[in-house]
Amino acid sequence: QVSDNPSPPGHIRFTWQQGTLLFTDLAGFTPLLEANAAQGRRGAAHLLKVLNHYFSEMIEIISKSGGDLLEFTGDAMLVQFLADAQRSDVAQAVRAGLRMQRAMEHFSNIEAANGQYQLGMRVGVHSGRFLTADIGTPIRMAHVLLGKTVQQAKQAEGSGKVGRVCLSKVESDRLGEPFRYEPTDLSYMLVNDDFSADQLGEYDITLSRRRQSGLVLLDRSAEGLLLEINEAVKRVEVLAGYVPSPILRLLVESASQRRIPPNFPESIVVFVNLLGLPESVDAASQEELDSLVRSFSRAFSSINAAVSSRGGILQKVTYQLVGSDILVYFGVLTSRTDDALRAADTAIAIREIVNQLPTPLINDKPINVACRIGITRGAVFAAEIGEPRGRREFNILGDPVNTAARLMTRAAPQQILMTEEFYEAIAPQFSCEALGKVFLKGKAAPVGIYSLQKRAEE
């Protein structure tokens, strides 16, 4: 969507869209990652091959099903099916999800150096109205989705089961035949895949959108080639702001090889959950909506500046059951001995930025804007994942990313939680409070956590 109709650098815009969102989440990836991490660069190459095979198959299915892949979120995906006159988008999304689940059979027996592993996937579907917005500054832009529909689609994925497609009961009642369902609880239903291969098919033909083609060099004269190059540069200049500057430099430096070597660097991962603004858009008037989006843009731009000035990378804004998530990391492309201290400083600066945001009003009532932050450290898988000759993205994955996200969701508003490993890296320069040990999802043993207060000298 961004490349088809790019926003001028620094220009804030937003619009309501109607359609269906499909969220996926990969299960079983962490054990596979850990098994390959022990093999160093050879393991990184093997893991990337598996991931790219997975994403290539899923992207092909999404394309054939009439969907639009909006983004990768780690090993997950967000797909949009725009509404048409017949409102067939929900059925399209469900059929796409069923095809994707069938394709997961190809990942049921993955060979690794120390054994065999299996990947599974959850799929959640929900439809409705959602806000798409381009926010930021000429230096850094972001394309985000806001509103309850986004959160409910994410909740459908979280309420589902591996190997199944889950949607809200409201959607299943409206969709009806030819699908059959079984309940997960009072609010969500699992779709039964009792279709033959011919009944489900491979394609959904849609005329609701047409992708722009790439450059076609019809005039091969020097003047014609120069004109095409200038047009390409103009397009790239507009789109470059949507990519973090360090990653953009890496892409340029790696252009001749057409690949970025995967690796397992030690990293500091900071996850920020921004509360208040994203959930308020559905109740806002047009004038209030403009103020909300500009406030969100100001928060994103200020946080990105705080991260960049301290040597970190703000990867993107993603989606959570409450609010919007911002993924930040240190030590991936450039490593410094004081990355942990920089990350702690950044987290405190982000909390202060959110504290100082003007309080927006919805129907004359103030909106409470806050943030929750989780921090950890450890080896992550850093690679350019996706379709090797098509849609792909440089990103980080792994247990530190998951742990930071779980600490974030456990934190109270304006609280910064961190693991014991990260605490040991910043003490005694920062004032911290020990909160004991807690169980986190995916961890066999309880994890010691701390609350980050401030720099010790303050």
Side-chain angles (χ1 to χ4, degrees):
Q1 292 183 350
V2 174
S3 62
D4 283 356
N5 184 24
S7 178
H11 177 69
I12 300 171
R13 65 179 180 181
F14 58 90
T15 184
W16 287 105
Q17 292 187 346
Q18 187 80 25
T20 299
L21 299 176
L22 180 150
F23 269 108
T24 73
D25 192 31
L26 204 57
F29 177 71
T30 298
L32 178 65
L33 184 152
E34 292 172 348
N36 283 279
Q39 303 299 311
R41 290 190 178 274
R42 182 189 304 175
H46 178 260
L47 184 61
L48 182 60
K49 182 178 179 181
V50 172
L51 264 181
N52 284 352
H53 179 202
Y54 161 74
F55 278 117
S56 295
E57 288 213 18
M58 297 305 142
I59 291 170
E60 181 178 1
I61 292 170
I62 291 166
S63 179
K64 289 180 177 180
S65 302
D68 187 2
L69 174 61
L70 295 185
E71 71 162 38
F72 304 106
T73 306
D75 57 22
M77 289 178 287
L78 171 61
V79 182
Q80 175 180 326
F81 296 81
L82 284 178
D84 55 22
Q86 292 74 37
R87 283 309 316 271
S88 59
D89 46 290
V90 183
Q92 278 183 269
V94 171
R95 286 193 294 268
L98 294 177
R99 293 172 186 133
M100 294 165 76
Q101 292 290 17
R102 290 186 180 190
M104 290 306 296
E105 179 183 350
H106 303 157
F107 306 94
S108 61
N109 187 12
I110 301 170
E111 296 285 346
N114 62 345
Q116 296 180 337
Y117 292 83
Q118 179 177 357
L119 294 178
M121 184 173 63
R122 289 189 302 271
V123 175
V125 174
H126 188 73
S127 70
R129 190 179 76 148
F130 45 89
L131 190 77
T132 64
D134 291 281
I135 60 173
T137 68
I139 296 175
R140 182 67 197 279
M141 298 287 291
H143 183 73
V144 298
L145 269 65
L146 305 170
K148 292 180 180 178
T149 296
V150 185
Q151 297 167 358
Q152 289 169 327
K154 180 66 176 174
Q155 191 170 19
E157 174 266 303
S159 300
K161 294 182 179 180
V162 172
R164 305 294 297 274
V165 176
C166 179
L167 67 163
S168 62
K169 189 176 186 306
V170 173
E171 294 294 344
S172 65
D173 289 344
R174 185 169 70 83
L175 193 57
E177 297 291 342
F179 302 102
R180 295 192 306 110
Y181 315 92
E182 61 181 82
T184 60
D185 55 33
L186 295 177
S187 302
Y188 292 92
M189 307 289 282
L190 298 175
V191 181
N192 289 330
D193 185 0
D194 48 12
F195 297 95
S196 68
D198 288 339
Q199 287 174 327
L200 184 60
E202 290 185 68
Y203 293 89
D204 273 295
I205 304 300
T206 176
L207 300 178
S208 59
R209 63 184 181 89
R210 180 171 62 88
R211 306 296 299 184
Q212 290 187 0
S213 61
L215 293 174
V216 179
L217 299 178
L218 298 179
D219 183 355
R220 295 184 176 273
S221 67
E223 293 78 8
L225 291 173
L226 185 60
L227 179 62
E228 294 292 349
I229 290 171
N230 287 333
E231 289 300 315
V233 169
K234 289 178 183 178
R235 291 179 60 187
V236 171
E237 282 179 336
V238 174
L239 296 174
Y242 288 86
V243 182
S245 296
I247 297 176
L248 187 62
R249 287 196 296 270
L250 179 64
L251 292 172
V252 173
E253 293 166 359
S254 307
S256 61
Q257 291 81 31
R258 294 177 178 257
R259 64 185 295 271
I260 297 172
N263 203 358
F264 292 106
E266 283 289 322
S267 176
I268 310 294
V269 181
V270 182
F271 244 125
V272 182
N273 184 210
L274 187 60
L275 304 166
L277 296 174
E279 308 96 298
S280 303
V281 297
D282 294 279
S285 66
Q286 186 66 24
E287 183 178 348
E288 292 168 336
L289 193 59
D290 182 79
S291 176
L292 279 177
V293 172
R294 292 187 180 280
S295 294
F296 195 98
S297 179
R298 182 184 308 166
F300 168 77
S301 301
S302 299
I303 291 171
N304 181 67
V307 172
S308 299
S309 66
R310 291 166 175 82
I313 297 174
L314 191 160
Q315 177 71 25
K316 63 167 60 178
V317 180
T318 60
Y319 314 99
Q320 184 54 257
L321 296 178
V322 179
S324 294
D325 292 350
I326 300 174
L327 173 60
V328 174
Y329 49 84
F330 293 76
V332 173
L333 300 184
T334 56
S335 180
R336 302 174 181 85
T337 57
D338 62 346
D339 273 337
L341 302 180
R342 291 169 179 265
D345 256 338
T346 301
I348 293 172
I350 292 172
R351 181 172 61 187
E352 187 61 25
I353 287 169
V354 175
N355 269 334
Q356 294 179 358
L357 285 175
T359 302
L361 298 176
I362 301 295
N363 298 322
D364 296 324
K365 296 181 180 178
I367 299 299
N368 293 323
V369 180
C371 66
R372 304 182 295 176
I373 302 177
I375 315 177
T376 190
R377 66 183 301 187
V380 298
F381 179 60
E384 192 178 35
I385 60 173
E387 165 57 58
R389 295 182 178 273
R391 181 72 175 274
R392 59 196 187 276
E393 176 182 271
F394 183 85
N395 210 339
I396 64 168
L397 303 89
D399 182 66
V401 181
N402 299 334
T403 301
R406 285 159 190 156
L407 286 175
M408 174 193 69
T409 57
R410 192 179 186 90
Q414 303 305 103
Q415 187 178 37
I416 304 170
L417 294 184
M418 56 189 170
T419 56
E420 188 169 5
E421 293 84 357
F422 183 76
Y423 162 75
E424 291 173 350
I426 65 170
Q429 288 92 331
F430 287 84
S431 174
C432 306
E433 179 185 359
L435 301 178
K437 293 189 174 184
V438 299
F439 282 97
L440 297 177
K441 182 181 178 182
K443 298 288 187 181
V447 176
I449 63 172
Y450 292 75
S451 174
L452 175 60
Q453 307 295 326
K454 59 182 181 179
R455 267 200 172 270
E457 65 268 18
E458 292 180 1

